[in-house]
Amino acid sequence: MRRRLLRPWQVVVIIVVALLVGALLGAEPLHSRADSLDPSPWRTAALAVTGSLAEVSEFLHLDRPWKWASGPSEADGESAGSGSSGPSTVMGTTTTLNGLAGSTTSGHTSAGHATASTSAPAAGSSSTTTSSSTTTSSSTTTSSSTTTTTLPLFTVEEPLRVLMVGDSMMTMVGYGMMRQAERHPAMEVQVATKVSSGLVRPDFFDWPKRIARGLSEFHPHVVVMIFGGNEKQTMRHEGKSLQPFSEAWSAEYARRVTGAIAMCTDTGARVIWMGMPIMRSPKFSETCRRLNVFYATACAENPDAAYVDGYSLFADESGQYSAYLVDSAGQRKLMREKDGIHLTNAGGDRAAVAVMQVLLESVRLEK
Amino acid sequence: MLFPTWTFVAFFLVVFAAGWALVRRRRAWQGFMLAASYLFYAFWGSEFALLLAGYTVVNYLLGMAMMTARRRRGLLLALAVAVDLLPLAFYKYYGFFAFSLSELFGGEGVRGVLPLLDLVVPVGISFTTFRGVSYVVDAHRGNVQEQPTLLEFSLFMSFFPYLAAGPIVRNSEVLPQFRARVERRRIDASRALYLITLGLVKKVVIGDFLARNLVDGVFAAPGQYASLDVVIGIHAYAAQIYCDFSGYTDMAIGVALLLGVSLPRNFDRPYTAESLREFWRRWHMTLSRWLRDYLYIPLGGSRGSTLATYRNVILTMLIAGIWHGAGWTFAVWGLLHGAGQAVEHALIQRRKRRGLPPVIPSRIGLVVRRIVTLEFVCLAWIFFRADSLSTAGAVIARTFTAWGSAPSVSWLVVLAVVVGIGFQYLPDRLTQWVEKTISLRAPLLQGAVFGAVLFVIVGLLGAEGMTRFIYIGF
C-alpha cells in the first residue's frame, strides 16, 4: 500500500496541532522567553498568550516533561572540555591578581585553598608574596601589576588548575587556554561553557550552581570568566521584570556579578574576568562597553579578582573593530568569526595570552 | 533565516497557506514564492538580496542571448561564467589571497595594495554560483527545454528551500514543476514531516551534541586529549558533518515537498560506500554530478590517456576542495580524494589490462572495503575540519602519541558516533514503513505526535541552542 497524500487543509491541521502540542509541552520556557523580551506590544501579547498556555499546560499536567527534564540538573546541555546604571565606560585597564598562594611541598589542593579566608594571599611554605603597584604597558592595555618576590611554583605533579566558565564567547578562549596548557604542562584547564547563557537568566541556565559544582569538583586555583553576550535581557527578580540597564536591573546585575566572583574567591580561588570584546555591530559594542563596566567595577572591589580589558584587546590601533589583528608573534591574523562576534582560534589565542599574562604575574609554572 | 527557528515557522505557515491558495494561478504562485524567497534571504542582509537580484538578471540575459545567438556563443558562455565566478572570487577568496600575499611579502607592504577586508560572505553564494553556471552552460549546450520567463528564472535562482545550502538543482528539475498546472491539491505530507523530523534529529541531537562535547575541543587543542579521544573525535566529526549537512538538506527537501516541489536527493548513506568513487556517488550527490557534468567532463573526463584521466580526477577534486573554503587544508582534502580515486581507477585498469574480471568481494572483503573507505574519508576530514595544516598535523600525530584511556569521551558520545554513522545501514524499507505508517494516521494524531517529537528534539534535547549549519558557510 502506498503512502496516503493529504490535502493542504489537512496539513494545516497537522502543523497547527503540532505547534499547539509543542507549545503546551514547552509553555514554561516559552513564557520565560516572552518575559525576557524588551518592552513592546509584542512582548505584552507574547506574555498573554504564553501565560495562558502555561496555565492550560499546568492544568493538563503537560508541563511535567519539562519540569522533569529541567529540574534535577542545572548543567543539562552544557559543554565542558578537559582540557543602578553604571558609569559609561571602562577601557584600557587590566588589573592583576594578588599573588596566588602555592607551594611545591604542600600539594596543589591545599595550595589552592590555603588562602580561602584571606584577602591578602598567604605565602606558601617557601614563598613570599608582597604587593605593590607598578605600571606596565602592552599594545592594547595598561595594567597595574603586582610585584612578587618569590611566586608560588606549580608543577606537573601539582598543577595549577584553571576553570574557564562563560557563554559562547568563552569557547574559543577556553580552547586558547587549553593550547596554553600544552605549552605549560604544570597547568590544567577545564572549560565549561553554555551558549545563549548568562547571569540574567538563571531560569535558562543556573551559572552560580554550575560554578559551585566546578569549585567543589575541580578545586580550581583560578577561575576565568566571560559573560555578556546574552545579558541585555529583561531580568526576573522578586516577581518583577526589570528592564535592561534600568536602575533596578543594574543594581541586581552588579550584585550577581559580584556574587559570582565572591563565590569563587571565598573558596580561595582567584578570578580573572575578561571583559567583552569590541563587536562589529556598533550597537552591540555599546552594550558590551556598558556591561564591561559592571565586570571591571566588581573586580576592582575584590582584591582576589582581576579584570582583563577584552574590549581594547580586540580593537585595532585606532580603537575600532577589526577582524584582523596582529598576534603575539607579530603576524596579522583573522581573529573574529564571520558573525563579527565570536573569536577564531587565533582570537582565542590572543585572549588566552592576555589571561596568561595576568596569571604569570602571580604564579610560576614549571616547564 | 534558519529552518529550525520560530521566525521560520511563522514565515512558513503564511507561505504554505498562501502558496496553496494560489497554486492554480501559476504566475501569481511564482510571484508570491519569489517574494517569499527574497524575504527569507533578506533576513541575512538586504544587500545579499540585491546581489542575488543582480546575479539573476545578468544570468538570465546572457542565457537568453546564448539561446538566440547564432555566433559567438562560446564567447557569451565564457563571459557568463566569468561574471558568475566574480562575486564568488571576491567574497570567498579575496581574503585568503590578500592574506597569503601579505604573509609572503612581510605584511605591511602588500596591505596598502590589497588591504585585509572584513568581508561578510553572502549566505549561499557558492550554491547560487552553481545554479547560475549550470544554467548558462545548459543554455549553451541546448539543454534548456523551454526559455523561462524572468519570473520563472528568478524563482529558479532563489527558491528558499534550497537557496542557502542546496541541494544544487538544475533548471530541468524545478522549472517544469514551477510551471506545471496543479489539478489536484495533494501533498506527500508524511514524507515531508519525516524528513523534517529526521533532519532535526540529525542536526540538533547528534551533530551539535558531538560538536560541543568532543569535536570542537579535539580540533582546537589536540594536545589536551588522549589518542583514543582524538581517534573517536575524528570519527565524531565524520558523523557530525554528515548529520549537519544531510540534516539541513533533509529539512530543505521536506519543506519544498510541503510546497508541492520535489527536490533531488543529496545523500544516500555515504558511509556505506565500498570505494571513494562510490562515496562520491552517495555524498553531496548534487555537487558530485555538478562536478562531473560541468568540470570533469569538460576537462576531458576519461576520454583521453590514462594519465589525463588521473589529472582530470585530481584537478576536479582539488577544485571541489577549494570550493569548500579558501585555505590549504581544503586543498589537501580535495587532493586526497582526487589521489584516492585515481589510485582506485588505476587498480581497476590494471585488472582490465590483465584481462581479469572485476573483483566480487566476499562478505568479509566487503566489510574490509567499507572500513578502509570510511577510514580514508575520516583521514581526509581531519584536513577539512582543522583550521590549519599544522593543526591537522597535530591531530594526526596525537592519534599515535598519547595512548591510554580516553578520559574525555563519554558513552553518550560513543553512542552518538555509532548512531550517526551506523544508522546509514538501516534498510530503505524501514524508512518507507515509517512514512507509510505516519501517512495512514488521522491528521490530528499526526499533528499531536509531530508536536511532541518536536518538543523532545528542540525543547529538551536541543535546549542549549543550535550551532551554525556547516554548509551555510560555504
Side-chain angles (χ1 to χ4, degrees):
Chain A
M1 190 176 169
R2 297 187 63 187
R3 290 193 299 273
R4 187 164 63 117
L5 303 183
L6 300 182
R7 293 167 191 273
W9 70 264
Q10 290 174 307
V11 177
V12 170
V13 168
I14 292 176
I15 294 174
V16 170
V17 170
L19 287 176
L20 192 65
V21 169
L24 283 170
L25 288 165
E28 195 177 313
L30 281 177
H31 191 54
S32 296
R33 195 162 173 178
D35 195 28
S36 68
L37 295 172
D38 286 340
S40 66
W42 164 243
R43 177 177 180 270
T44 311
L47 274 175
V49 171
T50 55
S52 306
L53 277 172
E55 283 175 21
V56 176
S57 175
E58 194 178 355
F59 176 74
L60 297 173
H61 298 296
L62 290 175
D63 57 344
R64 296 283 171 85
W66 174 260
K67 284 203 162 84
W68 172 79
S70 59
S73 167
E74 78 287 355
D76 290 345
E78 70 178 284
S79 300
S82 57
S84 72
S85 304
S88 58
T89 58
V90 166
M91 288 184 65
T93 54
T94 296
T95 58
T96 61
L97 295 172
N98 285 325
L100 270 173
S103 165
T104 55
T105 54
S106 60
H108 58 280
T109 304
S110 60
H113 296 273
T115 60
S117 59
T118 58
S119 59
S125 60
S126 62
S127 55
T128 313
T129 309
T130 56
S131 290
S132 69
S133 186
T134 61
T135 303
T136 59
S137 64
S138 68
S139 59
T140 55
T141 60
T142 306
S143 67
S144 60
S145 70
T146 303
T147 305
T148 52
T149 50
T150 308
L151 299 174
L153 176 70
F154 290 88
T155 65
V156 177
E157 293 77 29
E158 307 284 351
L160 177 78
R161 290 183 298 277
V162 182
L163 176 64
M164 316 283 293
V165 295
D167 57 23
S168 59
M169 290 303 297
M170 174 53 90
T171 308
M172 299 316 286
V173 184
Y175 292 147
M177 281 297 284
M178 284 166 72
R179 285 189 288 274
Q180 288 290 330
E182 289 179 13
R183 283 175 222 141
H184 298 283
M187 183 168 76
E188 191 182 333
V189 175
Q190 197 175 81
V191 185
T193 63
K194 172 79 178 174
V195 295
S196 310
S197 70
L199 301 175
V200 168
R201 293 276 312 277
D203 59 305
F204 173 69
F205 190 76
D206 194 339
W207 269 111
K209 266 191 188 175
R210 176 62 186 91
I211 293 168
R213 207 182 80 199
L215 291 168
S216 63
E217 289 176 0
F218 187 53
H219 302 296
H221 300 103
V222 177
V223 180
V224 182
M225 296 187 185
I226 301 180
F227 288 104
N230 316 290
E231 302 292 54
K232 195 185 170 190
Q233 296 191 51
T234 301
M235 187 192 293
R236 289 289 295 174
H237 178 60
E238 293 177 345
K240 289 180 189 162
S241 294
L242 312 179
Q243 298 314 307
F245 296 112
S246 63
E247 200 170 316
W249 187 97
S250 298
E252 175 58 16
Y253 189 65
R255 192 189 67 76
R256 291 185 188 187
V257 171
T258 308
I261 293 173
M263 69 186 298
C264 300
T265 56
D266 285 352
T267 67
R270 307 307 167 93
V271 170
I272 299 176
W273 195 301
M274 174 161 278
M276 288 291 285
I278 188 171
M279 300 291 170
R280 185 195 285 142
S281 153
K283 207 172 156 188
F284 193 19
S285 274
E286 183 53 27
T287 300
C288 293
R289 278 158 55 113
R290 294 179 75 180
L291 287 168
N292 285 345
V293 174
F294 292 98
Y295 313 138
T297 306
C299 288
E301 288 169 356
N302 191 321
D304 295 328
Y307 176 71
V308 175
D309 179 17
Y311 193 95
S312 303
L313 188 68
F314 286 95
D316 65 9
E317 298 85 348
S318 57
Q320 301 299 309
Y321 172 87
S322 174
Y324 292 89
L325 293 168
V326 178
D327 70 4
S328 54
Q331 290 185 313
R332 196 163 284 272
K333 290 266 172 72
L334 181 67
M335 301 276 172
R336 307 301 286 268
E337 283 290 353
K338 290 171 189 165
D339 58 12
I341 298 171
H342 293 96
L343 306 176
T344 60
N345 271 339
D349 285 337
R350 184 182 183 81
V353 166
V355 170
M356 287 302 292
Q357 229 171 2
V358 176
L359 209 59
L360 291 173
E361 283 169 4
S362 47
V363 297
R364 285 181 298 150
L365 298 173
E366 185 186 58
K367 293 288 176 191
Chain B
M1 198 190 303
L2 289 171
F3 291 152
T5 57
W6 284 108
T7 315
F8 180 78
V9 170
F11 164 84
F12 184 73
L13 270 177
V14 175
V15 172
F16 178 83
W20 280 103
L22 294 170
V23 79
R24 285 183 180 160
R25 297 163 57 199
R26 287 319 268 180
R27 204 158 286 267
W29 182 88
Q30 289 166 3
F32 175 76
M33 283 299 162
L34 180 65
S37 297
Y38 269 79
L39 178 66
F40 174 86
Y41 198 44
F43 263 77
W44 275 298
S46 49
E47 65 278 16
F48 295 169
L50 283 174
L51 182 72
L52 178 63
Y55 217 85
T56 301
V57 171
V58 169
N59 274 290
Y60 181 70
L61 293 175
L62 286 168
M64 195 162 66
M66 248 178 294
M67 280 185 267
T68 51
R70 292 187 179 173
R71 293 187 304 140
R72 294 186 176 173
R73 297 176 71 242
L75 191 67
L76 281 170
L77 176 64
L79 178 67
V81 172
V83 168
D84 277 339
L85 294 180
L86 208 61
L88 185 71
F90 177 66
Y91 283 107
K92 204 161 169 180
Y93 302 108
Y94 171 82
F96 174 67
F97 187 63
F99 186 71
S100 299
L101 278 183
S102 147
E103 283 205 316
L104 200 64
F105 296 109
E108 304 302 317
V110 181
R111 280 175 60 210
V113 187
L114 288 173
L116 297 175
L117 302 174
D118 180 23
L119 294 169
V120 180
V121 181
V123 169
I125 188 169
S126 299
F127 294 93
T128 306
T129 308
F130 280 133
R131 282 191 296 278
V133 170
S134 76
Y135 177 75
V136 292
V137 174
D138 284 349
H140 181 262
R141 289 174 178 169
N143 288 343
V144 178
Q145 297 297 325
E146 187 184 332
Q147 162 80 39
T149 63
L150 180 58
L151 180 59
E152 289 166 353
F153 181 72
S154 301
L155 186 55
F156 160 67
M157 289 295 285
S158 64
F159 190 48
F160 72 86
Y162 59 66
L163 177 60
I168 304 165
V169 296
R170 291 177 176 180
N171 73 85
S172 58
E173 286 169 330
V174 289
L175 279 176
Q177 296 188 68
F178 292 162
R179 290 189 190 116
R181 281 180 62 84
V182 176
E183 300 298 341
R184 292 176 70 237
R185 294 188 179 106
R186 289 288 189 274
I187 303 167
D188 193 353
S190 60
R191 174 146 188 79
L193 296 179
Y194 173 77
L195 284 171
I196 291 169
T197 309
L198 184 66
L200 277 171
V201 170
K202 283 178 178 175
K203 168 67 181 162
V204 178
V205 181
I206 302 175
D208 285 359
F209 175 77
L210 288 174
R212 290 192 175 113
N213 288 283
L214 187 63
V215 176
D216 290 351
V218 162
F219 281 89
Q224 291 290 290
Y225 291 85
S227 293
L228 196 54
D229 288 329
V230 177
V231 169
I232 295 171
I234 294 164
H235 290 80
Y237 183 63
Q240 183 210 338
I241 193 167
Y242 167 73
C243 289
D244 190 287
F245 190 22
S246 73
Y248 184 90
T249 45
D250 284 345
M251 284 186 260
I253 293 168
V255 164
L257 210 51
L258 286 177
L259 297 173
V261 177
S262 176
L263 299 182
R265 198 174 181 184
N266 218 15
F267 291 88
D268 180 17
R269 300 177 294 168
Y271 294 144
T272 64
E274 294 163 32
S275 67
L276 286 177
R277 297 201 312 170
E278 189 188 348
F279 174 79
W280 278 100
R281 286 196 293 271
R282 292 172 175 274
W283 175 270
H284 202 174
M285 295 150 75
T286 56
L287 172 68
S288 299
R289 68 178 190 185
W290 192 99
L291 292 170
R292 182 195 66 204
D293 294 348
Y294 301 106
L295 199 57
Y296 177 67
I297 290 174
L299 281 170
S302 56
R303 295 190 299 276
S305 65
T306 310
L307 274 180
T309 303
Y310 298 160
R311 179 203 63 199
N312 295 339
V313 170
I314 292 172
L315 202 57
T316 301
M317 293 314 299
L318 175 64
I319 293 171
I322 294 170
W323 166 74
H324 280 87
W328 298 116
T329 49
F330 291 109
V332 172
W333 175 78
L335 277 174
L336 279 172
H337 274 280
Q341 288 184 64
V343 168
E344 285 179 359
H345 197 273
L347 291 173
I348 293 168
Q349 289 304 313
R350 197 174 68 170
R351 280 190 74 83
K352 271 188 186 169
R353 276 200 304 275
R354 290 178 180 176
L356 297 169
V359 179
I360 301 172
S362 63
R363 199 173 276 264
I364 293 173
L366 205 67
V367 172
V368 171
R369 280 177 173 219
R370 283 177 171 167
I371 290 173
V372 170
T373 304
L374 176 64
E375 294 310 309
F376 186 89
V377 168
C378 286
L379 171 71
W381 282 139
I382 296 172
F383 291 90
F384 192 92
R385 174 61 179 79
D387 68 336
S388 66
L389 290 177
S390 61
T391 303
V395 169
I396 293 169
R398 196 68 183 172
T399 58
F400 298 105
T401 52
W403 279 100
S405 62
S408 302
V409 173
S410 67
W411 284 109
L412 268 180
V413 168
V414 175
L415 181 68
V417 176
V418 170
V419 171
I421 294 175
F423 84 84
Q424 297 176 41
Y425 282 90
L426 294 178
D428 269 346
R429 63 177 181 279
L430 185 68
T431 306
Q432 289 159 4
W433 177 83
V434 171
E435 288 172 3
K436 196 182 80 181
T437 306
I438 295 171
S439 78
L440 295 177
R441 306 297 146 206
L444 271 175
L445 184 61
Q446 285 189 46
V449 173
F450 187 50
V453 170
L454 284 186
F455 168 72
V456 172
I457 298 169
V458 181
L460 298 184
L461 299 173
E464 59 187 302
M466 199 177 58
T467 63
R468 188 182 163 88
F469 284 98
I470 295 171
Y471 265 72
I472 292 263
F474 297 146

